[in-house]
Amino acid sequence: MSERKINLEVLRYDPDKDSEPRFQTYKAVPCQDDWVVLDALNYVKDNTDTTLSYRWSCHMAVCGSCGMMIDGEPTLSCKAFLKDYGDTIRVEPLYHFPIERDLVTVIDDFVEKLTKVKPFLIPKQPKSIEEGEYLQTPKQLKKFKQYTLCINCMLCYSACPQYGLIPDFLGPAALSLAHRYNIDSRDGGCQERMKVTATNIGVWECSFVGACSEVCPGHVDPASSLQQMKIASTVDWYKKRLMPWSKS
Amino acid sequence: MRNPYTREIPKYTWYLRQGRYVRYMAREVTSLFIGLHAFLLICGLGALSQGEVAYNEFLAVLESPFYVVFLIVALLFVIYHSIAWFNVTPQAMPVQVGEDFLPGGIIIGAHYGIWAVATIVVLFLAGVF
Ligand code: FES
């Protein structure tokens, strides 16, 4: 296997010493052909600079913890093959989140928003354990399955200019997860979620830039769920006014 | 000690950061022409409601070079927006048949089909055929 020398320009930030982040270049990092950016960072951490901080765990695009801006694009660093990049690669923490240290971001805002949309099953008809499980056909499962594949990697928030400009926006991943439950045949919590999701910090803040779906590593296509929620919210609005007697 | 650093987003130039934002802004800006064109149509309806003389005056105004250029530009943007919208319809309106979802191409194709039919109907009503 051949070796290639890569320059890594990494945005560093030490909260104890730095007043603002600064770029540091690790020159001629010896990399193998089949490495990903995360491998190059690991090499630097193991051999050159032990102070470099970043998050990662699975190294297989499953845990969602290694998201970074790589050459300006929100990317999972464990999925970013060096062969697809030039000899100098710029690595920064994900946009739109405060920097905790180096490439580590603070994602508390997302976690807070996630709880707001009640991302759990609110049963249509609550059952006791003795009554058995909530059954579902393969067709009903397939309807929402795509939206269960989110790994909370935050690439969509980092790509979404609306979230960057309007921090109150609930954002793609949290809303997609709300949608995942709304269209689950066992769920009856749509109206409750709509109190938060069908507002101008919810789906109506989305202007369908579509960047979230372009960067999503799990092909969840968050933009699709938000557009579907807009349609549902519109139908609901008209229904309540034109057919006040109908239960939605 | 924790001291998280928040990076500012350039308020007026943020969209220059990525090609996809520039494309998005192009879509947003060109939609102004769609709005203006819709406004023009409403003015036309207003003129029509006031009788033949008013409507003919309205039509005469539209023949000035300014409006001819505007209408051509607006038409190009309407086509651009129609295509852009059709392309995203599978995302906004997925159709599940049996277990599987209809391929996006069919949903997009159906929109083009309806577009073609609507165009023929309008041309027919306008007496082109
Ligand atoms: S390390 Fe788990 S997603 Fe990259």
Side-chain angles (χ1 to χ4, degrees):
Chain A
M1 202 165 291
S2 62
E3 204 181 87
R4 190 175 144 209
K5 301 262 193 265
I6 299 271
N7 300 320
L8 278 183
E9 294 176 353
V10 182
L11 195 69
R12 306 284 320 264
Y13 173 64
D14 180 342
D16 291 323
K17 293 198 202 111
D18 298 332
S19 60
E20 57 179 38
R22 63 199 152 81
F23 276 102
Q24 179 173 350
T25 305
Y26 299 102
K27 288 220 167 80
V29 181
C31 298
Q32 301 293 330
D33 264 356
D34 59 348
W35 275 14
V36 290
V37 171
L38 178 61
D39 295 317
L41 289 171
N42 282 342
Y43 182 91
V44 170
K45 184 153 178 97
D46 291 344
N47 299 281
T48 325
D49 184 352
T50 54
T51 66
L52 181 62
S53 300
Y54 49 96
R55 289 196 184 106
W56 71 286
S57 175
C58 69
H59 199 293
M60 51 193 280
V62 167
C63 72
S65 55
C66 71
M68 304 167 188
M69 303 304 295
I70 301 181
D71 282 350
E73 178 81 357
T75 315
L76 292 181
S77 57
C78 69
K79 221 185 157 192
F81 284 91
L82 294 179
K83 63 176 163 45
D84 299 327
Y85 293 87
D87 290 334
T88 299
I89 303 175
R90 182 168 269 222
V91 186
E92 297 164 74
L94 285 178
Y95 284 155
H96 305 157
F97 292 102
I99 307 174
E100 182 77 54
R101 173 186 293 270
D102 296 344
L103 300 170
V104 178
T105 51
V106 185
I107 57 164
D108 301 5
D109 181 54
F110 166 71
V111 177
E112 226 171 80
K113 284 174 176 163
L114 189 60
T115 55
K116 276 194 195 143
V117 303
K118 301 191 195 277
F120 43 79
L121 209 66
I122 303 174
K124 248 185 218 146
Q125 293 140 346
K127 278 185 182 181
S128 65
I129 293 180
E130 292 72 40
E131 284 173 280
E133 46 294 75
Y134 295 94
L135 296 176
Q136 191 158 57
T137 65
K139 179 181 172 176
Q140 290 169 327
L141 169 68
K142 197 144 188 191
K143 190 168 181 201
F144 65 83
K145 179 131 193 261
Q146 164 192 355
Y147 302 115
T148 67
L149 302 177
C150 173
I151 56 173
N152 298 335
C153 65
M154 302 294 103
L155 299 194
C156 55
Y157 282 77
S158 188
C160 174
Q162 289 298 85
Y163 178 62
L165 295 166
I166 303 140
D168 281 341
F169 178 35
L170 293 173
L175 286 164
S176 292
L177 215 53
H179 185 60
R180 172 251 173 276
Y181 287 99
N182 286 346
I183 59 173
D184 186 320
S185 59
R186 301 163 296 180
D187 186 86
C190 183
Q191 284 297 322
E192 214 171 312
R193 288 188 200 96
M194 269 197 190
K195 287 180 201 150
V196 194
T197 61
T199 64
N200 56 0
I201 58 155
V203 287
W204 295 108
E205 195 59 84
C206 163
S207 53
F208 206 172
V209 181
C212 53
S213 294
E214 286 176 34
V215 302
C216 177
H219 306 292
V220 172
D221 194 359
S224 71
S225 62
L226 271 77
Q227 309 326 307
Q228 291 167 36
M229 290 170 95
K230 284 182 196 169
I231 295 176
S233 153
T234 308
V235 170
D236 184 68
W237 193 89
Y238 277 109
K239 242 183 165 175
K240 278 193 182 130
R241 277 151 191 88
L242 300 177
M243 301 190 288
W245 60 88
S246 87
K247 271 199 281 170
S248 6
Chain B
M1 197 193 69
R2 287 193 67 185
N3 182 21
Y5 182 87
T6 302
R7 286 169 289 180
E8 292 302 327
I9 291 155
K11 239 195 164 140
Y12 301 107
T13 53
W14 60 267
Y15 54 88
L16 297 176
R17 213 167 49 184
Q18 285 185 12
R20 61 167 71 93
Y21 296 166
V22 176
R23 287 194 295 279
Y24 160 71
M25 284 305 262
R27 230 163 52 212
E28 294 289 286
V29 170
T30 53
S31 66
L32 274 179
F33 284 82
I34 317 280
L36 286 174
H37 184 246
F39 181 69
L40 200 60
L41 282 181
I42 294 170
C43 292
L45 277 178
L48 188 62
S49 73
Q50 275 160 30
E52 200 177 334
V53 181
Y55 188 61
N56 282 338
E57 262 170 37
F58 173 74
L59 289 183
V61 170
L62 287 193
E63 272 164 32
S64 72
F66 173 82
Y67 278 103
V68 171
V69 171
F70 170 76
L71 287 172
I72 292 172
V73 173
L75 175 67
L76 291 177
F77 287 147
V78 166
I79 293 173
Y80 163 59
H81 275 260
S82 305
I83 293 171
W85 172 246
F86 289 170
N87 286 344
V88 296
T89 48
Q91 282 173 289
M93 296 180 274
V95 181
Q96 198 179 14
V97 179
E99 240 177 74
D100 293 312
F101 285 95
L102 271 190
I106 294 184
I107 299 175
I108 297 173
H111 280 86
Y112 278 100
I114 295 169
W115 191 14
V117 171
T119 305
I120 291 169
V121 170
V122 169
L123 290 179
F124 180 76
L125 291 177
V128 175
F129 305 120

